[in-house]
Amino acid sequence: MDDLKEATQRKLSFFQTIGAVFWSFFGVRKGRDHDRDMAQLNPVHLIVAGLIGGILFVVALVFLAKLAIRLAT
């Protein structure tokens, strides 16, 4: 239980976590930066940012699909 409390007190802000999630979607992350993120990311921020990123990704895909269909007809 102390490990969880310690993990939620990590240093990176929510916006830095969003940046890490953004780059992870593209798969372009330097090993050094990845190791630093794993040591400093707040797991709660990581889960929230991942959910937000996933939802935005799906919405963007749906929008692009609808746009392509509209332009094709």
Side-chain angles (χ1 to χ4, degrees), residues 17-29 46-58:
T17 304
I18 289 176
V21 169
F22 173 78
W23 287 114
S24 71
F25 275 11
F26 290 108
V28 289
R29 200 78 178 137
L46 188 61
I47 292 169
V48 172
L51 289 173
I52 291 170
I55 290 168
L56 289 175
F57 182 71
V58 169

Side-chain angles (χ1 to χ4, degrees), residues 4-33:
L4 180 59
K5 287 182 183 179
E6 181 182 319
T8 59
Q9 300 300 321
R10 292 184 180 167
K11 298 177 184 179
L12 288 183
S13 71
F14 183 69
F15 293 107
Q16 290 170 316
T17 304
I18 289 176
V21 169
F22 173 78
W23 287 114
S24 71
F25 275 11
F26 290 108
V28 289
R29 200 78 178 137
K30 293 181 182 177
R32 176 188 67 211
D33 293 337

Side-chain angles (χ1 to χ4, degrees), residues 37-48:
D37 288 345
M38 290 303 108
Q40 294 182 352
L41 283 174
N42 184 326
V44 175
H45 291 171
L46 188 61
I47 292 169
V48 172

Side-chain angles (χ1 to χ4, degrees), residues 67-73:
L67 181 65
I69 291 170
R70 184 174 296 147
L71 291 175
T73 57

